[in-house]
Amino acid sequence: MRPDDAHEAAAGPGRTEEGGAMPSEPRGGRRTTRGRTEPSSTEPGPSEPSRTRPLRTTPRPLTLNPHHDGTGRRATKAATNATTATNRSPGTPAPRHPRTSARRPRTLAARARRENATAWAFISPSVLIILGLSIVPVVWSLLLSFRADDLVTPGRWVGLDNYRALVQDPGFRTAVENTLVYAGLYVPLSLIGGLGLALALNRRIRLIGLYRTLIFIPFVISAAAQGVLFFFILDPQFGVANSLLHHLGVSAQGFLSDPGQALYLLVLISLWSGVGFCVVVYLAALQDVPPELIESARLDGASRLRVLWHIKLPSLTPVTVFLLLWQLITALQVFDLIYVTTKGGPLGSTTLIVYFVWEQAFQMFTAGYGAAAAYVLAVALLVAGAALRLYRRRRPGVVADGAVR
C-alpha cells in the first residue's frame, strides 16, 4: 500500500485530513467540468509533497445569453428587461428598441386620427344644421339683396339699387316709423312693469309661488295663440271687450280695425306676455342683493325709497342693460302677432319692418328688395347692440358696496 493510500484510509472514505467532505473524482487525476477536462488540483507535482488539498466550493459566475434561458428556449421580454435593468448601472437610461420607438409615434397618430373622426361623427349633424339653417341663408340673402329676383325667373345683378329704392319708398318709411313707435313703447313699459311686479313679488307672503307662476304663464304662450285669443276678445261686433263697454255705458270701439288704436293695442298684447320674462329676471337679481346692506341701511334710518334708489337699482344695472337689449331685439322682430291679428292693417298702421320684409318677398315677389330691407334691420340691431356694449364698458354697473361689476 502506498503512503498516500494509507493516509486516505486512515482519514475515512470521502474525508480530507481537515475533516471536510471531498467530492469524488476520477482516478485518472483529472476532473471534468461542463465537457472540459482540467488537470486535478490535488495531484502532487514532481517537487511538492504528496497531500490532499481542499477543493474550491464557491460557484463560478456564469455568463448566459439574456435572450435564452437555461433550457435553450427564448426568455420572455419581462425577464430580459429585468435582467438588463439589474445589470445596468444607476443613472443610465434604459435602451429603447428601434422598432418600439418607431412604432409608438405611428400608434399615437393613428389614435388621434380615430378620436378626431369619432368627434366629427358626433358633431356633424349639428354642424350641418347650423350651416343649412343659419350661415348659408345669411350669405344667400346678402347676395340676393344686390339682385332683382322674384324667386321664379332668373334674376339679374342690380348692385345698390335696392337700397336706394328703400330710401325713397314711403311704405318702408311708414314701417320704420311704426317699428320705432312700437319699440319705444314696449321696451320701457316692459322694463318698468317687470321691475314693479318683481319688487312686489320679492316678499314672503302667502301663496307667493302661485302669484309668480300666474305672472310667468303668459310668457310661455306662443304669440300666435295670443293673437287668436285677443282677436276674438277685441272683435268690434262680437268681442267680449265691446260687450263689457256696452254694460258700462261706453260706445263700441273699433279696436284692431281702427288705425288709431291698432298699434297701441298690439303693444298692450305684447306687454301681457313680455312682462313675465322681465319679472323672472328681475326677481332673480333682487334675491342676489346682499341682505346685510339693506339691513344696515335701514338701521341707519334709510327709507324704502332710498334703499331702492341707492342699493337695489345700482345692483340691477347689469340686468337692466341685458333686458333692454333683449326687449329691443324682440320689439324689432315681431311678426307672428301682426300676421295673426291685423296683417299689417288697417291702412298699414301696424306694418312693422319684419312684416314689410315678408310682404315684399312673398306677396309682391320682389325677394331682392325684401332682402335689402332685412339687412337694413340687421344693421340696426348690430348698431343697438354695439351701443349698449360701449355703454357698459364706459359706465359699468356699480354695486351698492362700491365694487364694480
Side-chain angles (χ1 to χ4, degrees), residues 29-55:
R30 292 182 180 273
R31 141 174 95 108
T32 304
T33 304
R34 286 191 176 271
R36 298 193 305 271
T37 304
E38 299 177 359
S40 177
S41 59
T42 58
E43 186 175 355
S47 59
E48 59 183 335
S50 177
R51 61 187 182 87
T52 303
R53 296 179 180 177
L55 294 178

Side-chain angles (χ1 to χ4, degrees), residues 333-348:
Q333 291 183 341
V334 62
F335 168 77
D336 40 8
L337 181 62
I338 297 173
Y339 181 80
V340 172
T341 55
T342 62
K343 296 187 183 301
L347 302 177

Side-chain angles (χ1 to χ4, degrees), residues 12 25 155 288 325:
E25 61 181 280
D288 286 339
L325 181 59

Side-chain angles (χ1 to χ4, degrees), residues 11 37 64 82 88-89 97 102 114 123 133 145 201 258 267 291 326 342 359 361 363 369:
T37 304
L64 300 178
R88 188 172 61 247
S89 60
H97 198 277
R114 288 196 300 268
I123 67 175
L133 299 180
S145 66
L201 295 175
D258 188 354
V267 173
W326 180 273
T342 62
E359 190 177 30
Q363 284 189 343
Y369 192 65

Side-chain angles (χ1 to χ4, degrees), residues 64-405:
L64 300 178
N65 190 352
H67 298 288
H68 291 80
D69 55 6
T71 59
R73 293 178 297 182
R74 192 170 185 82
T76 60
K77 185 177 181 180
T80 304
N81 293 339
T83 305
T84 308
T86 304
N87 295 334
R88 188 172 61 247
S89 60
T92 305
R96 286 187 176 181
H97 198 277
R99 294 182 180 179
T100 304
S101 59
R103 191 186 302 119
R104 184 170 300 173
R106 288 196 297 267
T107 304
L108 295 178
R111 183 181 300 175
R113 285 193 297 268
R114 288 196 300 268
E115 291 179 355
N116 291 336
T118 304
W120 278 107
F122 276 106
I123 67 175
S124 56
S126 301
V127 172
L128 292 177
I129 291 175
I130 293 174
L131 291 177
L133 299 180
S134 299
I135 299 178
V136 174
V138 167
V139 176
W140 180 74
S141 61
L142 178 62
L143 297 177
L144 187 64
S145 66
F146 298 102
R147 297 171 59 87
D149 200 335
D150 57 0
L151 301 179
V152 179
T153 59
R156 57 186 178 86
W157 187 267
V158 296
L160 297 176
D161 290 346
N162 290 328
Y163 294 94
R164 297 190 186 99
L166 284 175
V167 178
Q168 302 174 359
D169 188 359
F172 179 72
R173 190 179 302 111
T174 302
V176 171
E177 293 176 357
N178 293 335
T179 304
L180 292 178
V181 172
Y182 179 87
L185 292 175
Y186 172 75
V187 174
L189 289 178
S190 63
L191 295 180
I192 295 174
L195 178 59
L197 290 176
L199 291 172
L201 295 175
N202 191 26
R203 299 178 181 179
R204 294 182 179 180
I205 58 178
R206 188 175 182 183
L207 301 179
I208 187 63
L210 177 61
Y211 301 149
R212 294 174 180 175
T213 304
L214 293 177
I215 291 295
F216 185 70
I217 281 178
F219 177 75
V220 182
I221 302 174
S222 65
Q226 298 172 24
V228 173
L229 174 63
F230 282 96
F231 181 79
F232 285 105
I233 293 175
L234 300 176
D235 187 82
Q237 297 180 358
F238 309 102
V240 178
N242 272 334
S243 178
L244 292 176
L245 292 177
H246 177 71
H247 287 289
L248 294 176
V250 182
S251 61
Q253 302 294 321
F255 293 125
L256 295 177
S257 60
D258 188 354
Q261 298 178 1
L263 184 61
Y264 301 104
L265 289 175
L266 291 179
V267 173
L268 292 177
I269 295 172
S270 301
L271 288 174
W272 178 72
S273 62
V275 169
F277 179 74
C278 297
V279 169
V280 172
V281 176
Y282 271 132
L283 190 59
L286 286 173
Q287 292 177 357
D288 286 339
V289 177
E292 57 271 10
L293 295 178
I294 301 176
E295 185 178 357
S296 61
R298 289 178 179 175
L299 291 176
D300 291 339
S303 62
R304 290 187 176 182
L305 183 60
R306 287 185 175 273
V307 170
L308 174 64
W309 186 259
H310 294 284
I311 296 180
K312 292 184 179 180
L313 289 183
S315 301
L316 298 178
T317 301
V319 175
T320 303
V321 174
F322 162 74
L323 286 176
L324 178 63
L325 181 59
W326 180 273
Q327 297 296 85
L328 179 61
I329 293 174
T330 303
L332 295 179
Q333 291 183 341
V334 62
F335 168 77
D336 40 8
L337 181 62
I338 297 173
Y339 181 80
V340 172
T341 55
T342 62
K343 296 187 183 301
L347 302 177
S349 60
T350 58
T351 300
L352 303 187
I353 291 182
V354 177
Y355 189 84
F356 178 82
V357 171
W358 177 85
E359 190 177 30
Q360 295 296 322
F362 300 103
Q363 284 189 343
M364 304 297 181
F365 292 100
T366 54
Y369 192 65
Y375 268 91
V376 171
L377 175 61
V379 171
L381 291 175
L382 290 176
V383 170
L388 289 177
R389 187 173 182 85
L390 290 177
Y391 174 80
R392 289 191 62 182
R393 284 186 175 181
R394 293 184 179 182
R395 294 187 61 185
V398 180
V399 192
D401 57 353
V404 179
R405 183 176 295 182

